[in-house]
Amino acid sequence: MPESEHINDPVIEVEGLSKNFGSLAVLDEVSLTFPHKRITAILGKSGSGKSVLMKNIIGILEPDNGKIKINGTDIVPLPEKQRRKYRLQLGYLFQDSALFDSMTVEENIAFPLVEVLHMRDREAIRRIVKEKLDWVQLPGIEKKLPEELSGGMRKRVALARSLAGEPEVLLFDEPTTGLDPVLEESINNLIQRVNRELGMTCIIITHDIVGSFQLADKIAFLDEGSIQVAGTPEDVANVGHPVLQKFLENAFTAAHKTMDDMEML
């Protein structure tokens, strides 16, 4: 399906991307663009290759074939030092938050500033940490350890850490997994704030079908290693792809059941 004409100006372009693990082809010539300062959600069943696609974009994995362009430059053939420079424009929020248990909240948020950006001004680092914690609405918790935080709070601290380096693009790996519906909504609201208030391009891989249709400007459906459908939420909902339609029906049925169950409590 062709992408809608008004979705343009890509900050990241994936072209013909393939990734195999032995004889298993996980990504098969995936092509997808991510529009500047918009929210793109990538949907797909478990094992469809969503996380593998994201890990290729941020450099945890290397593609077997294809291009990954950041602001027009294909970074795949570049030397590693140059690729790292481009990837500094990308922030990444891990599914499990990936906070360091032995570090305080302040030390966790400061980690990329010190280790990646090589900042040495302690006062400037403390100022950035405070600013990001205030922004995610968790002021004054700098000295707490991750074990003292709820799941939702850990997600917010991880987001503050991702924001500390002021990336141009922020990638979210299953940001609402394991959260109750109220916390799901709060995290989705935060993603929307990141996009609207900070002007960042956001890329989300998610099982939260209902939330993604409310949140995203663009949706892509990944199945059997390739992009089957991509476009606006309205386009994707109406395209009539059989696997996607079944996927959506199951998700919306489950969401309605959850809402009914909550109303009965």
Side-chain angles (χ1 to χ4, degrees):
M1 169 184 155
E3 296 178 11
S4 299
E5 291 181 0
H6 68 278
I7 291 182
N8 49 27
D9 300 327
V11 63
I12 297 176
E13 301 167 82
V14 173
E15 298 180 4
L17 194 73
S18 296
K19 182 64 181 178
N20 301 327
F21 294 97
S23 60
L24 179 63
V26 179
L27 299 177
D28 183 16
E29 297 191 0
V30 168
S31 294
L32 185 63
T33 60
F34 299 92
H36 183 58
K37 294 188 177 182
R38 302 296 175 89
I39 301 174
T40 300
I42 304 174
L43 309 181
K45 298 175 291 185
S46 295
S48 62
K50 302 187 302 297
S51 291
V52 173
L53 174 58
M54 187 171 284
K55 288 174 181 176
N56 274 269
I57 292 172
I58 65 172
I60 293 177
L61 295 172
E62 295 295 329
D64 297 323
N65 294 291
K67 299 178 180 180
I68 301 172
K69 295 181 180 179
I70 299 178
N71 288 318
T73 298
D74 180 15
I75 67 171
V76 173
L78 296 180
E80 180 59 29
K81 186 175 181 179
Q82 287 183 260
R83 275 187 282 177
R84 283 200 299 269
K85 180 180 177 181
Y86 276 94
R87 282 179 169 134
L88 285 176
Q89 301 171 51
L90 313 180
Y92 185 56
L93 190 68
F94 290 89
Q95 179 177 335
D96 61 357
S97 301
L99 299 178
F100 298 106
D101 293 337
S102 61
M103 293 183 179
T104 64
V105 166
E106 181 176 21
E107 290 167 338
N108 266 284
I109 297 172
F111 184 82
L113 299 175
V114 174
E115 299 299 328
V116 179
L117 300 180
H118 308 296
M119 288 183 64
R120 294 294 180 262
D121 186 333
R122 293 183 180 181
E123 189 56 41
I125 291 170
R126 280 194 291 269
R127 186 168 60 249
I128 292 171
V129 170
K130 181 182 185 305
E131 174 187 298
K132 300 312 177 187
L133 282 175
D134 287 348
W135 195 87
V136 299
Q137 300 173 331
L138 289 176
I141 68 164
E142 285 88 340
K143 301 308 177 185
K144 289 186 177 293
L145 292 168
E147 65 182 16
E148 300 176 82
L149 308 177
S150 67
M153 291 173 73
R154 285 194 293 272
K155 294 275 189 182
R156 288 172 181 263
V157 170
L159 175 58
R161 181 176 61 185
S162 298
L163 294 175
E166 298 188 349
E168 182 178 357
V169 181
L170 197 51
L171 301 96
F172 298 82
D173 186 355
E174 299 286 2
T176 59
T177 294
L179 302 180
D180 62 46
V182 174
L183 285 176
E184 281 185 6
E185 184 177 5
S186 72
I187 295 299
N188 285 337
N189 288 340
L190 268 178
I191 295 171
Q192 198 165 57
R193 285 184 61 210
V194 168
N195 174 248
R196 292 180 177 177
E197 295 180 19
L198 304 180
M200 287 186 185
T201 303
C202 296
I203 301 172
I204 313 164
I205 61 171
T206 182
H207 285 93
D208 181 9
I209 311 302
V210 177
S212 65
F213 268 77
Q214 295 171 341
L215 186 66
D217 301 293
K218 177 176 180 177
I219 289 177
F221 179 60
L222 182 64
D223 190 53
E224 296 186 352
S226 63
I227 299 296
Q228 302 292 324
V229 180
T232 66
E234 294 78 11
D235 290 339
V236 169
N238 295 323
V239 74
H241 187 283
V243 177
L244 174 60
Q245 288 304 118
K246 186 65 175 177
F247 189 60
L248 295 180
E249 287 170 10
N250 290 341
F252 280 98
T253 298
H256 286 306
K257 184 179 184 304
T258 299
M259 291 177 64
D260 291 343
D261 289 345
M262 290 180 67
E263 288 175 0
M264 293 174 63
L265 294 177

